[in-house]
Amino acid sequence: MKTDIIKIESLSQRKLNEAFMRHIPIPFPTETVFGLGAAYDDEKAIKEVFHLKGRPLSNPLIVHVSNVEMIHLVSNSVSEDAKKLIEVFFPGPLTLVLKKHPRVPDLVTAGYDTVAVRMPKHAVACKLIDMVGKPLVAPSANLSGKPSATHPQHVYDDFNGKIPFIIDGEASMIGIESTIVDMTQKPYTILRPGHITVEALKDVLGDVFGGDSQTIAPGMMHPHYEPTHPLYILEGSDEAIIKFMKKKDRAVFIGHERFQTNMDFMISLGHNHELMIKSLYHVLRQTNDLDVDEIYTHKMDHQAYMNRLFKAAKGRIISL
Ligand code: TXA
Ligand code: MG
């Protein structure tokens, strides 16, 4: 099968209906990462989403909506607190876990009685959901265990020949997945850190967030974001990191631009937090093609970034 990258403008309603009749998943851009979409009530297409990604059926999917009414289609218990967060952060990189409506198939929620809902802040994603006329489930559009896709080319690299088309879009603005908050029990828990911080959530609801770092989304227990070559996180001063890297050959260093002049072989992630977050998955993917044995990087003071980096490194930290 030939896989085309097409603009949403050239996706006719006919072509879309045809894809739905054949239960074909559709990758589309969002402001966080690309998603692999299927109508929330099309179990055949949803099974294909799991199959294409190689994703365990025990890992539930996020339901994407393009307006507030659609939230009520998948949950009939949207609390006042949830409404406040929706008011402030939707559309945007926030996912709320709510009690699920019986009409949401168990396949979507992996049998849980909750459903994760998010409204993307991306014109193409919203247009697609509007064209479909109902919510779309979408995990990140990458092979399970691999870095998420922040560019149409990444989706193409993972699914070329397996799907007829990918909906084009700019590289993802944010570059890491949404913050997930479980709103079904107080104190509310952050199941996955993201661009929207717990401080920003507290500014709206007050200090009603709890849980420890052990409380994570079911999917966060699986391997994630892993590049082909082993990644190690170096912990120490810049000087110690530079000295350590001088002794390494057949290794690449990825990290903040400030290291560039002192490293033999480096791929820069950029000169600030925002850029580093945005380019992390792209650079991790780039390292797959390098003739190196190891990848090294450094810590950064950002919870969501470190959450992804730590998983990509399978927890390997070297203290210098
Ligand atoms: O930014 C994002 O959230 C992206 C874009 C495409 O929207 N999506 C995304 O999906 O990251 P995925 O499937 O890669 O990650 C979804 C996470 C998984 O860790 C999953 O376990 C969790 O959300 N999740 C889904 N439904 C849940 C539920 N009912 N309760 C708890 N966690 C849930
Ligand atoms: Mg994912």
Side-chain angles (χ1 to χ4, degrees):
M1 184 193 297
K2 191 170 161 290
T3 302
D4 296 319
I5 300 179
I6 63 165
K7 297 266 177 230
I8 188 101
E9 293 76 23
S10 55
L11 176 69
S12 63
Q13 194 71 47
R14 214 185 103 233
K15 189 173 171 134
L16 182 66
N17 294 347
E18 205 181 285
F20 277 107
M21 285 218 333
R22 292 167 56 207
H23 311 285
I24 291 167
I26 302 176
F28 62 95
T30 87
E31 78 281 21
T32 58
V33 299
F34 277 66
L36 184 59
Y40 84 106
D41 56 354
D42 180 354
E43 299 206 32
K44 276 194 185 157
I46 298 169
K47 277 191 186 134
E48 187 59 15
V49 166
F50 279 101
H51 173 72
L52 281 173
K53 277 187 63 99
R55 177 178 177 115
L57 290 168
S58 57
N59 190 3
L61 304 176
I62 297 175
V63 175
H64 295 67
V65 300
S66 57
N67 59 58
V68 174
E69 288 74 63
M70 280 189 190
I71 302 172
H72 298 285
L73 202 62
V74 297
S75 174
N76 49 15
S77 93
V78 185
S79 66
E80 286 309 309
D81 280 352
K83 281 184 190 154
K84 282 185 197 158
L85 294 183
I86 289 167
E87 174 85 26
V88 176
F89 296 110
F90 278 27
L94 179 68
T95 295
L96 299 180
V97 173
L98 308 170
K99 279 267 173 274
K100 106 176 172 69
H101 192 286
R103 74 163 64 85
V104 181
D106 285 339
L107 184 63
V108 171
T109 62
Y112 291 85
D113 62 356
T114 56
V115 62
V117 190
R118 152 166 143 76
M119 192 190 293
K121 191 175 186 169
H122 193 294
V124 175
C126 291
K127 170 126 196 253
L128 180 67
I129 301 167
D130 285 344
M131 280 177 83
V132 176
K134 52 178 136 176
L136 283 183
V137 295
S140 52
N142 54 278
L143 294 172
S144 247
K146 300 290 164 203
S148 305
T150 51
H151 194 278
Q153 184 64 38
H154 301 158
V155 185
Y156 185 85
D157 292 344
D158 283 8
F159 300 109
N160 179 23
K162 300 194 176 123
I163 36 170
F165 59 87
I166 296 164
I167 306 205
D168 200 5
E170 302 274 297
S172 304
M173 296 275 290
I174 292 175
I176 53 168
E177 304 82 352
S178 58
T179 307
I180 304 179
V181 190
D182 183 352
M183 298 297 293
T184 60
Q185 277 180 52
K186 254 187 173 173
Y188 308 133
T189 40
I190 313 285
L191 301 180
R192 180 175 69 185
H195 180 76
I196 293 175
T197 60
V198 67
E199 290 75 28
L201 295 166
K202 280 182 184 168
D203 279 349
V204 178
L205 293 187
D207 196 0
V208 286
F209 298 91
D212 48 41
S213 54
Q214 302 307 311
T215 347
I216 51 170
M220 297 306 281
M221 289 176 291
H222 300 290
H224 257 87
Y225 321 118
E226 286 174 20
T228 306
H229 308 294
L231 171 70
Y232 299 86
I233 303 168
L234 301 175
E235 188 178 45
S237 65
D238 284 10
E239 292 69 33
I241 289 172
I242 292 162
K243 200 170 148 205
F244 177 92
M245 288 308 297
K246 285 274 176 256
K247 288 185 241 148
K248 291 278 166 195
D249 53 357
R250 297 195 49 77
V252 63
F253 184 80
I254 66 171
H256 191 280
E257 202 164 289
R258 68 179 187 272
F259 286 98
Q260 193 94 64
T261 49
N262 290 300
M263 293 289 175
D264 291 337
F265 186 24
M266 170 169 175
I267 305 178
S268 170
L269 288 162
H271 65 268
N272 60 36
H273 284 193
E274 208 180 309
L275 288 171
M276 289 176 69
I277 291 165
K278 200 168 156 170
S279 55
L280 179 66
Y281 294 143
H282 176 66
V283 171
L284 286 174
R285 282 172 172 267
Q286 266 186 310
T287 63
N288 290 344
D289 300 325
L290 299 177
D291 184 22
V292 295
D293 296 332
E294 287 150 352
I295 311 162
Y296 291 91
T297 188
H298 60 93
K299 286 189 161 182
M300 179 170 96
D301 186 18
H302 189 285
Q303 196 198 7
Y305 176 88
M306 284 313 294
N307 169 276
R308 308 311 192 270
L309 197 67
F310 191 73
K311 292 206 69 98
K314 292 178 121 169
R316 286 178 291 241
I317 296 184
I318 301 177
S319 292
L320 303 176

